[in-house]
Amino acid sequence: MKQLTPEQLNALEQDLNAIRDEVLADVGERDARYIRRIIRLHRGLEVGGRVMMPFGFIPPVFAAAVATLGLSKIIENMEIGHNVMHGQYDWMNDPALHSQTYEWDTACTGESWRRTHNYEHHTFTNIVGKDRDYGYALLRLSDDEKWKPAHTLQLINFFLLTVFFQWGVGLHELEFERLRRGEIKVADKTQFLKEFFRKGGRQAFKDYLFFPLVTLPVAPVVLAGNVSANLMRNLWASSVIFCGHFTEDAETFTEEECESESKGQWYLRQLTGSSNFTGSKLMHLLSGHLSHQIEHHTFPDIPAHRYREISPRVQAVCKKYGINYNTGSFARQYGTVVKRVLQFSLPDRLRLKLA
């Protein structure tokens, strides 16, 4: 981690607090109009995709239906659900947009996400041993974890996690690694599993039984379309999240160096442990503005569509203190993610020899 003096850390905290306070003081009707417009877009795309899907026996219509439904799922998960559950729109006092009651269109329950993501991940970002999002207990991504022969196959785990991402996220709270080590038992997770199977079952029923059955003559077409739309969402969401956390320049931290952490040190960890990627306005929208992961980790409760506006100011703060602002094209950032996965699948001696 970049080393700053206590005085610099205090100044960094004040500089970033000033940005946050200024934006939050300006939050209002403009942001309410934005999120309501996005909700209308999501609903329109979902209805359009569902209506077109039974006519998917016509190849161009099938492609259009999958793309439309897939986009609706991406927007609901990334720009609506994720951001609403961070409390970015709690100030609206709209029960449908409140962080503690929102339930999104994915296998992971809102309650589980708030525990594992909002609390664990955003509090302990990239602290090895405390942030379970770092590698999702499947991927070795740093020297902090000892190499094991099983890691040679982690590219397969990476591929499977990408394809089945909503289910991997949904089961994240099961804590496979602790079960494997015998630190906890499956019985300790009974309540969580009940909630997971209830929510996951509803999601599977909706896309893989209900909608195909109500269009019975073309049920196979509708089923294939819904599977494809979910796959589209999984591939995109996982890629965005990996690019925000697992690039080669995203730093990791030990528990010891984060003990008794000040707010300035927490800010520094968020800045150096996160990655951005560049792109069009549409790409920013479809990523839930997690294309600005640095800004999101620094200000998780600011409406995400504001991140593009404050990015130059955050970059200026980073430059002021000599902090690397990790950004690049989506292709470049994703390439470094794959490179990191491959590198740390190798035994340390071989990896260092090839470096």
Side-chain angles (χ1 to χ4, degrees):
M1 189 192 302
K2 171 76 176 179
Q3 297 301 309
L4 299 179
T5 65
E7 293 75 20
Q8 287 175 315
L9 286 169
N10 184 57
L12 174 67
E13 177 183 346
Q14 292 179 24
D15 287 345
L16 292 174
N17 280 345
I19 295 173
R20 178 179 181 273
D21 293 344
E22 182 179 324
V23 175
L24 288 179
D26 186 55
V27 165
E29 185 57 32
R30 169 192 167 195
D31 305 277
R33 287 197 305 269
Y34 174 82
I35 192 61
R36 288 171 179 147
R37 185 168 68 249
I38 295 300
I39 290 170
R40 288 194 298 270
L41 173 63
H42 149 63
R43 290 173 178 170
L45 287 169
E46 180 172 17
V47 170
R50 299 289 187 194
V51 169
M52 284 190 289
M53 199 68 75
F55 302 95
F57 54 85
I58 305 171
V61 177
F62 181 81
V66 169
T68 304
L69 183 58
L71 285 172
S72 79
K73 288 175 175 285
I74 286 170
I75 291 171
E76 193 280 332
N77 278 188
M78 307 297 285
E79 184 71 339
I80 303 173
H82 170 264
N83 294 332
V84 165
M85 287 193 287
H86 266 297
Q88 295 177 9
Y89 298 95
D90 282 0
W91 55 271
M92 291 174 62
N93 295 317
D94 183 342
L97 292 173
H98 196 277
S99 61
Q100 299 306 303
T101 56
Y102 191 88
E103 193 58 65
W104 54 350
D105 180 25
T106 189
C108 180
T109 68
E111 281 299 318
S112 181
W113 179 261
R114 284 183 280 270
R115 289 190 293 265
T116 59
H117 180 80
N118 289 11
Y119 173 67
E120 287 184 9
H121 174 59
H122 275 268
T123 303
F124 307 114
T125 307
N126 286 22
I127 299 178
V128 177
K130 300 200 77 172
D131 180 10
R132 296 181 55 256
D133 276 17
Y134 197 76
Y136 290 93
L138 293 172
L139 305 173
R140 178 182 186 247
L141 298 169
S142 74
D143 288 320
D144 300 292
E145 183 178 356
K146 185 178 179 181
W147 182 85
K148 298 175 184 176
H151 289 129
T152 58
L153 302 176
Q154 75 172 10
L155 189 61
I156 297 174
N157 290 340
F158 177 77
F159 172 76
L160 292 174
L161 180 60
T162 298
V163 171
F164 299 102
F165 193 62
Q166 73 159 325
W167 301 101
V169 170
L171 283 168
H172 191 40
E173 195 176 348
L174 188 57
E175 300 182 281
F176 286 110
E177 70 281 13
R178 294 186 66 200
L179 287 171
R180 189 170 59 245
R181 293 194 298 262
E183 296 175 4
I184 59 174
K185 298 178 180 179
V186 173
D188 298 326
K189 294 291 183 176
T190 300
Q191 185 58 38
F192 160 72
L193 287 171
K194 285 181 179 178
E195 294 170 357
F196 168 76
F197 284 118
R198 187 181 301 117
K199 177 69 185 298
R202 285 202 303 268
Q203 293 298 117
F205 174 79
K206 178 187 68 174
D207 278 340
Y208 306 143
L209 284 176
F210 176 76
F211 282 110
L213 286 175
V214 298
T215 55
L216 192 55
V218 289
V221 172
V222 174
L223 175 60
N226 289 348
V227 169
S228 300
N230 281 324
L231 176 61
M232 176 180 165
R233 185 266 315 278
N234 287 350
L235 295 177
W236 176 248
S238 61
S239 299
V240 167
I241 291 170
F242 295 163
C243 283
H245 301 88
F246 303 157
T247 59
E248 62 182 348
D249 291 334
E251 297 183 23
T252 58
F253 316 96
T254 64
E255 295 184 47
E256 290 73 24
E257 66 183 320
C258 298
E259 288 180 358
S260 304
E261 192 177 54
S262 69
K263 186 61 180 289
Q265 290 170 317
W266 182 86
Y267 273 140
L268 179 60
R269 180 160 53 83
Q270 305 308 315
L271 294 171
T272 57
S274 311
S275 315
N276 285 10
F277 59 82
T278 57
S280 64
K281 288 184 178 180
L282 178 61
M283 180 172 279
H284 293 313
L285 166 64
L286 295 180
S287 72
H289 290 87
L290 295 182
S291 49
H292 290 86
Q293 190 73 243
I294 294 171
E295 285 74 18
H296 175 60
H297 273 164
T298 309
F299 310 115
D301 55 349
I302 285 179
H305 72 103
R306 298 269 193 149
Y307 294 153
R308 288 175 54 243
E309 300 171 10
I310 65 175
S311 175
R313 298 177 64 183
V314 175
Q315 290 186 60
V317 170
C318 288
K319 184 177 181 180
K320 177 180 177 180
Y321 297 98
I323 299 168
N324 177 43
Y325 187 86
N326 181 3
T327 190
S329 69
F330 178 83
R332 178 193 176 280
Q333 296 291 60
Y334 191 77
T336 71
V337 171
V338 176
K339 178 182 176 183
R340 190 169 191 167
V341 171
L342 286 171
Q343 284 181 329
F344 284 97
S345 70
L346 301 174
D348 293 336
R349 186 177 300 178
L350 177 59
R351 176 175 58 83
L352 295 173
K353 185 177 181 180
L354 294 174

